[in-house]
Coordinates of all heavy atoms in Angstrom, one line a residue:
H1 N -41.4 7.0 -236.5 CA -42.0 5.9 -237.3 C -43.2 5.3 -236.6 O -43.1 5.0 -235.4 CB -40.9 4.8 -237.4 CG -41.1 3.8 -238.6 ND1 -42.2 3.0 -238.6 CD2 -40.6 3.7 -239.8 CE1 -42.2 2.3 -239.7 NE2 -41.2 2.7 -240.5
S2 N -44.2 5.1 -237.4 CA -45.5 4.7 -236.7 C -45.5 3.3 -236.2 O -46.3 2.9 -235.3 CB -46.7 4.8 -237.8 OG -46.3 4.0 -238.9
D3 N -44.5 2.5 -236.6 CA -44.5 1.1 -236.2 C -43.5 0.9 -235.0 O -43.3 -0.3 -234.5 CB -44.1 0.2 -237.3 CG -45.1 0.1 -238.4 OD1 -46.3 0.2 -238.1 OD2 -44.7 -0.2 -239.6
I4 N -43.0 1.9 -234.5 CA -42.0 1.8 -233.3 C -42.6 2.5 -232.1 O -43.0 3.7 -232.1 CB -40.7 2.5 -233.7 CG1 -40.0 1.7 -234.8 CG2 -39.8 2.5 -232.6 CD1 -38.8 2.3 -235.3
R5 N -42.7 1.8 -231.0 CA -43.2 2.4 -229.7 C -42.1 2.9 -228.8 O -42.3 3.9 -228.1 CB -43.9 1.3 -228.9 CG -44.5 1.7 -227.6 CD -45.5 0.7 -227.1 NE -45.0 -0.6 -226.9 CZ -44.4 -1.0 -225.8 NH1 -44.2 -0.2 -224.8 NH2 -43.9 -2.2 -225.7
Q6 N -40.9 2.3 -228.9 CA -39.8 2.7 -228.0 C -38.5 2.5 -228.8 O -38.3 1.5 -229.4 CB -39.8 2.0 -226.7 CG -39.1 2.6 -225.6 CD -39.4 1.9 -224.3 OE1 -39.8 0.8 -224.2 NE2 -39.0 2.6 -223.1
A7 N -37.6 3.4 -228.6 CA -36.2 3.3 -229.3 C -35.2 3.8 -228.4 O -35.2 4.8 -227.7 CB -36.3 4.1 -230.6
V8 N -34.0 3.1 -228.4 CA -32.8 3.4 -227.7 C -31.7 3.1 -228.5 O -31.6 2.1 -229.2 CB -32.6 2.6 -226.4 CG1 -31.3 2.9 -225.7 CG2 -33.8 3.0 -225.4
V9 N -30.8 4.1 -228.7 CA -29.6 4.0 -229.5 C -28.4 4.1 -228.7 O -28.2 5.0 -227.8 CB -29.5 5.1 -230.6 CG1 -28.3 4.9 -231.5 CG2 -30.9 4.9 -231.6
V10 N -27.4 3.2 -228.8 CA -26.1 3.1 -228.1 C -25.0 2.9 -229.1 O -25.2 2.6 -230.3 CB -26.1 2.0 -227.1 CG1 -27.3 2.2 -226.1 CG2 -26.2 0.6 -227.7
L11 N -23.8 3.3 -228.6 CA -22.6 3.0 -229.4 C -22.0 1.7 -228.9 O -21.6 1.6 -227.8 CB -21.6 4.2 -229.1 CG -20.2 4.0 -229.9 CD1 -20.5 4.0 -231.5 CD2 -19.3 5.1 -229.5
R12 N -22.0 0.7 -229.8 CA -21.5 -0.6 -229.4 C -20.0 -0.6 -229.8 O -19.6 -0.2 -230.9 CB -22.2 -1.7 -230.2 CG -23.6 -1.8 -230.0 CD -23.9 -2.3 -228.6 NE -23.3 -3.5 -228.2 CZ -23.6 -4.3 -227.1 NH1 -24.6 -3.9 -226.4 NH2 -22.9 -5.3 -226.8
T13 N -19.1 -1.1 -228.9 CA -17.7 -1.2 -229.1 C -17.3 -2.6 -228.9 O -16.2 -2.9 -228.4 CB -17.0 -0.2 -228.0 OG1 -17.4 -0.6 -226.7 CG2 -17.2 1.2 -228.4
D14 N -18.0 -3.6 -229.3 CA -17.7 -5.0 -229.2 C -16.5 -5.2 -230.1 O -15.6 -6.0 -229.7 CB -18.9 -5.9 -229.8 CG -20.2 -5.6 -229.0 OD1 -20.4 -6.1 -227.9 OD2 -21.0 -4.7 -229.6
N15 N -16.3 -4.5 -231.2 CA -15.1 -4.6 -231.9 C -14.5 -3.1 -231.8 O -15.0 -2.2 -232.4 CB -15.4 -4.8 -233.4 CG -14.1 -4.8 -234.3 OD1 -13.0 -4.7 -233.8 ND2 -14.3 -4.8 -235.6
P16 N -13.5 -2.9 -230.9 CA -12.9 -1.6 -230.6 C -12.4 -0.9 -231.9 O -12.5 0.3 -231.9 CB -11.8 -1.9 -229.7 CG -12.2 -3.2 -229.1 CD -12.8 -4.0 -230.2
E17 N -12.0 -1.6 -232.8 CA -11.5 -1.0 -234.1 C -12.6 -0.4 -235.0 O -12.4 0.3 -235.9 CB -10.6 -2.0 -234.8 CG -9.4 -2.4 -234.1 CD -8.6 -3.4 -234.9 OE1 -9.0 -3.7 -236.0 OE2 -7.4 -3.8 -234.4
D18 N -13.8 -0.9 -234.7 CA -14.9 -0.4 -235.6 C -16.2 -0.3 -234.8 O -17.1 -1.1 -234.8 CB -15.1 -1.5 -236.7 CG -16.2 -1.0 -237.7 OD1 -16.4 0.1 -237.9 OD2 -16.9 -1.9 -238.3
P19 N -16.3 0.8 -234.0 CA -17.5 1.0 -233.2 C -18.7 1.3 -234.1 O -18.5 2.0 -235.1 CB -17.1 2.3 -232.3 CG -16.1 3.0 -233.1 CD -15.2 1.9 -233.7
Q20 N -19.8 0.9 -233.6 CA -21.1 1.0 -234.6 C -22.2 1.5 -233.7 O -22.4 1.1 -232.5 CB -21.5 -0.4 -235.1 CG -20.4 -1.0 -236.1 CD -20.4 -0.4 -237.5 OE1 -21.3 0.5 -237.7 NE2 -19.6 -0.7 -238.4
L21 N -23.0 2.3 -234.3 CA -24.3 2.7 -233.7 C -25.3 1.5 -233.8 O -25.5 1.0 -234.9 CB -24.9 3.9 -234.4 CG -24.1 5.2 -234.2 CD1 -24.6 6.3 -235.0 CD2 -24.0 5.6 -232.7
A22 N -25.9 1.2 -232.7 CA -27.0 0.1 -232.7 C -28.3 0.7 -232.1 O -28.3 1.4 -231.1 CB -26.5 -1.0 -231.8
A23 N -29.4 0.4 -232.8 CA -30.7 0.9 -232.4 C -31.5 -0.4 -231.8 O -31.5 -1.4 -232.5 CB -31.5 1.4 -233.6
Y24 N -32.0 -0.2 -230.6 CA -32.8 -1.2 -230.0 C -34.2 -0.7 -230.0 O -34.5 0.5 -229.5 CB -32.3 -1.4 -228.6 CG -31.0 -2.1 -228.5 CD1 -29.7 -1.3 -228.6 CD2 -30.8 -3.4 -228.3 CE1 -28.6 -1.9 -228.5 CE2 -29.6 -4.0 -228.3 CZ -28.4 -3.3 -228.3 OH -27.2 -3.9 -228.4
L25 N -35.1 -1.6 -230.5 CA -36.5 -1.1 -230.8 C -37.6 -2.0 -230.2 O -37.4 -3.3 -230.3 CB -36.7 -1.0 -232.3 CG -35.6 -0.2 -233.1 CD1 -35.7 -0.4 -234.6 CD2 -35.6 1.2 -232.8
V26 N -38.6 -1.4 -229.7 CA -39.8 -2.2 -229.2 C -40.9 -1.8 -230.2 O -41.2 -0.6 -230.4 CB -40.2 -1.8 -227.8 CG1 -41.5 -2.5 -227.5 CG2 -39.1 -2.1 -226.9
P27 N -41.5 -2.7 -231.0 CA -42.5 -2.4 -231.9 C -43.8 -2.0 -231.3 O -44.1 -2.3 -230.2 CB -42.7 -3.7 -232.7 CG -42.3 -4.8 -231.7 CD -41.2 -4.2 -230.8
A28 N -44.5 -1.1 -232.1 CA -45.8 -0.6 -231.7 C -46.9 -1.7 -232.0 O -47.9 -1.7 -231.3 CB -46.1 0.7 -232.4

């Protein structure tokens, strides 16, 4: 994506019963 300079994706388990993929982004 042209508007994203840096991206990191992690699996968040804040709610163990419903883990979610979370994307952390630094804009370009």
Side-chain angles (χ1 to χ4, degrees):
H1 198 293
S2 59
D3 293 334
I4 295 176
R5 179 165 60 87
Q6 200 171 15
V8 173
V9 179
V10 300
L11 179 64
R12 299 292 310 194
T13 56
D14 306 277
N15 179 7
E17 297 180 358
D18 184 27
Q20 296 281 356
L21 292 173
Y24 293 83
L25 310 168
V26 176

